[in-house]
Amino acid sequence: MTDMTEASANPVLKRLPIIVIGIAAILGAYFLRDYLSFEALAANREGLIAFRDANYFLTVLGFTMTYVVIVAFSLPGATIATLTGGFLFATFPGALFNMTGATIGATAIFLAARWGFGESLGRKLENSEGTVKKIKDGIDENQWSMLFLIRLVPAVPFFLANLIPSFLEVPLHRFVISTFLGIIPGAVVYTSVGAGLGEVFARGETPNLGIIFEPQIILPIIGLCVLAALPIAINALRGKKGL
């Protein structure tokens, strides 16, 4: 109890986790960009497959934890990690491993940001007036829809989708559920690309990471975005609170 009180009273201590994440992100972007790359995956593909075949469950655990670290510390290579999940484990269960690692890592950032900044910022927004207060109230009234929307829209960076809810007093369970379910479309698409990397390697090519923007992929995702935004539009038209 005393430790918690001291942490609450010490702003630096409260913000230490998010500061560590920020420093790790900067160092990772500089030192790890060559190791978490498509070229590195191509160069080590045979060794990875051999290790997976000899130690399947250990590979699953190691891969998932690596994905958690990449996301939690905002390191470069999340897309490559997703491709690797498909390459090693096929679309399924590879997508499940990718989604699990991404969700746990995202939750770590969410909790670190909330502990360091979210509570105080949330109180300031709640006590504010005018347009800012109206925006926050609108988000509060449509949290599920907003959470799914920021996950589904490809233009929203993943790390921003992790940080924004931490500043808006979103309950942890809502964040976890909406993250896991909201990233399914993107995770399945990129994992399936990773599952076909064997043929890509054989041809000496690079994968088409822009596949998510092709009509047959992006149009269904846009449809999901519209469905997620529909309750927000209905509430705005009716002027009612809640769903």
Side-chain angles (χ1 to χ4, degrees), residues 86-108:
F87 176 66
L88 290 176
F89 309 110
T91 303
F92 187 85
L96 180 61
F97 300 152
N98 285 332
M99 290 156 51
T100 300
T103 301
I104 296 173
T107 302

Side-chain angles (χ1 to χ4, degrees), residues 33-50:
R33 61 180 182 272
D34 294 331
Y35 296 97
L36 300 174
S37 65
F38 178 75
E39 291 74 18
L41 174 58
N44 295 282
R45 63 187 186 276
E46 294 181 0
L48 289 172
I49 291 176

Side-chain angles (χ1 to χ4, degrees), residues 18-33 69-70 72-76:
I18 199 68
I19 291 173
V20 170
I21 289 174
I23 293 174
I26 295 172
L27 294 177
Y30 183 78
F31 290 106
L32 298 178
R33 61 180 182 272
V69 171
I70 289 174
F73 290 96
S74 299
L75 301 176

